[in-house]
Amino acid sequence: MSAILEQLGYFGSAFGAAFGGWNLPIIAAAVLLGLVVGAIPGLTGTMALALLINITYSMSSSTAVAFMLGTYVGAVSGGLFSAIMLNIPGTPNAAATALDGYPLAKQGKGGKALFGGVFASCCGTLISCVIMMIATPFISTIALKFGKWELFLLSVFGITICGNLSVDSTPLKGWIGGFLGFFCAMIGVDAIYNGKRFIFTSGLTSGVTLIPALIGLFGIAEVLTVLQDRTPVQVNGDMGTILPNRQELKSLMKPALRSALIGCGIGAIPGAGEDIAAWMSYSVGKSRSKEKEKFGRGSFEGLSCSETANNACIPGAMIPMLTLAIPGSTQAAMFLAALNLHGVQPGPMLTLKAPNFMYVVGLTIAVAAIIMLGLSLILTKPMVRILQINRKILMPIIVMLTVVGAYASRTTLFDVRLALVFGVIGFILRKFKINLAPVTLGLILGGTADTCFRQALTQGNGSIIPLFSRWMGDILIVVVLYTLISGVIKTVKATKAELNEKKAA
């Protein structure tokens, strides 16, 4: 009982930290910015957060949290505008939304589809926020028992799970991306013995700086990819009315709780992300629906399944990030980088050093979702007009922002060159259909895995026997081995099937 009262006290103190000063107006402005970015095809929430991290330098930690989370919520939701009106998802997580959103728009129900998508997004976020604020303290209690070996194995698990993020049906390309990021994290002087590793230029002495690398991977690579696309973008201006009728609203609400639980659960899996949550929720929703035949032809229920889940992922992704310092998505990774800039260190000790911080994050996300719903109702028609911006004008501006953002991280030209190199690497990886999310996870978790492994060996005088003497470590070993073995089996089966198809042809 005392523990519950203690948590309620932390929850109450979080209100002042979350909404004090100029935080509310900043959340509103950030949500609007995120909506605009998410609505424009070719601009992603990850790119926006990577570019905007540097703006938070002069902000207090609470203001920076409000700004980044507001942008995060707006960007994830903004992708539905172009998905519904153009059949071009503004962000990858809105791809499933286009399946029913665009047919609804062609039926003259574009306005209703836009409102329905935003309404479902808000509901999913709010439900998931409640789950996050209830679950995080319990997970933190378990995380506090983690030693160096457990943190090492958890980081390795984050790399092995990259196989689930592969574009293909096999995990091989996901692992390639994850271990490529892991290798890049090894560059520089190691944290234990100050030994130089893979340094071929003096600029890499301090290692690969995370922010310029992410700006390159998700900013410059995105620009290069978009500039290749010569398909003209046309906006359907016929939106019809905005407010749905009672039957349509009932269809929107029907899958809300189930989809929010799916979204929050997928978000809590390191690296899974909003797009996977949207597709899984859509698949489950279709299989359980009494109106399966409407899915893909203009179903408000199908629209709600994808939009509820992808936004419920946001609080879900905060759970592993706050308790274990492992981001649940690439956007959460950007938020983690912003927290590090402001001296906030997520992980097992966060609940001891700042016990109300988790509630600050949850309340901020919830308020951002409510503000997003209000702004979308007001700005639906202007937002559709924004989609008509010529990308030939937009992309040079984005390139300029990427250069400024990379330079501002440490005010060195080397970081600009580093961002350009990673931009080219990201572009090439996309050509080979290698997802960039595993690369990001590898970059973030590589340093943790390396340092914890060395510290664990030091504590055990070079012996790995202590690794097998802790029950949590044993469980993680089994999970990591299962992930690897099942991935290898899946790859072998897919390769055999491909060879058989070629022989049959």
Side-chain angles (χ1 to χ4, degrees), residues 29-46:
V31 168
L32 177 59
L33 178 62
L35 284 171
V36 173
V37 169
I40 300 174
L43 302 185
T44 64
T46 308

Side-chain angles (χ1 to χ4, degrees), residues 34-383:
L35 284 171
V36 173
V37 169
I40 300 174
L43 302 185
T44 64
T46 308
M47 179 198 291
L49 291 172
L51 295 176
L52 295 173
I53 284 176
N54 297 299
I55 295 178
T56 68
Y57 274 125
S58 59
M59 298 179 182
S60 65
S61 59
S62 63
T63 304
V65 167
F67 180 76
M68 295 297 286
L69 288 178
T71 306
Y72 188 178
V73 172
V76 172
S77 304
L80 68 89
F81 285 90
S82 53
I84 292 171
M85 302 308 294
L86 305 176
N87 200 26
I88 302 174
T91 53
N93 56 268
T97 303
L99 294 180
D100 287 294
Y102 187 63
L104 285 170
K106 290 200 296 184
Q107 296 167 19
K109 298 179 181 178
K112 291 182 177 182
L114 289 173
F115 172 82
V118 173
F119 180 74
S121 298
C122 182
C123 289
T125 306
L126 294 177
I127 294 171
S128 187
C129 278
V130 174
I131 297 170
M132 183 204 87
M133 288 188 284
I134 293 173
T136 301
F138 295 102
I139 297 174
S140 293
T141 302
I142 298 172
L144 283 171
K145 299 178 182 178
F146 277 32
K148 297 301 179 183
W149 280 118
E150 285 81 8
L151 291 173
F152 163 71
L153 288 170
L154 199 64
S155 299
V156 173
F157 173 65
I159 303 298
T160 57
I161 206 173
C162 287
N164 296 335
L165 307 180
S166 181
V167 176
D168 298 335
S169 59
T170 64
L172 184 60
K173 289 185 177 179
W175 285 341
I176 290 173
F179 282 103
L180 177 62
F182 192 93
F183 167 75
C184 290
M186 297 298 104
I187 296 173
V189 176
D190 79 85
I192 306 297
Y193 299 110
N194 293 325
K196 295 182 179 180
R197 302 178 299 191
F198 312 113
I199 298 174
F200 51 86
T201 175
S202 59
L204 289 174
T205 303
S206 57
V208 174
T209 310
L210 183 61
I211 293 175
L214 296 181
I215 286 174
L217 284 173
F218 294 98
I220 294 171
E222 189 74 43
V223 170
L224 294 174
T225 303
V226 168
L227 289 177
Q228 275 197 324
D229 185 11
R230 299 181 181 276
T231 306
V233 177
Q234 295 180 348
V235 177
N236 179 7
D238 183 18
M239 293 194 343
T241 59
I242 292 178
L243 296 177
N245 59 38
R246 179 181 294 182
Q247 184 60 38
E248 291 163 345
L249 190 61
K250 186 179 177 181
S251 297
L252 287 168
M253 292 298 298
K254 191 184 300 182
L257 180 59
R258 181 188 66 235
S259 298
L261 290 172
I262 292 173
C264 186
I266 296 297
I269 298 173
E274 293 83 5
D275 48 343
I276 294 175
W279 284 111
M280 181 171 288
S281 176
Y282 188 86
S283 176
V284 172
K286 185 176 181 180
S287 66
R288 297 178 65 88
S289 176
K290 295 180 180 179
E291 298 177 320
K292 296 182 178 66
E293 69 283 354
K294 290 186 177 181
F295 275 64
R297 298 180 181 178
S299 167
F300 281 97
E301 187 178 350
L303 177 72
S304 178
C305 285
S306 59
E307 277 303 310
T308 302
N310 63 29
N311 281 265
C313 241
I314 300 173
M318 295 294 118
I319 296 174
M321 194 211 75
L322 293 174
T323 57
L324 304 170
I326 297 178
S329 67
T330 51
Q331 287 96 328
M334 302 300 173
F335 181 58
L336 176 61
L339 291 181
N340 289 335
L341 286 179
H342 289 272
V344 179
Q345 296 293 331
M349 298 300 293
L350 182 64
T351 53
L352 298 179
K353 294 180 179 178
N356 70 335
F357 185 77
M358 176 270 297
Y359 295 113
V360 171
V361 171
L363 288 171
T364 303
I365 294 174
V367 170
I370 295 170
I371 290 174
M372 178 266 297
L373 177 61
L375 286 176
S376 298
L377 285 175
I378 298 170
L379 301 173
T380 294
K381 292 186 178 180
M383 286 290 291

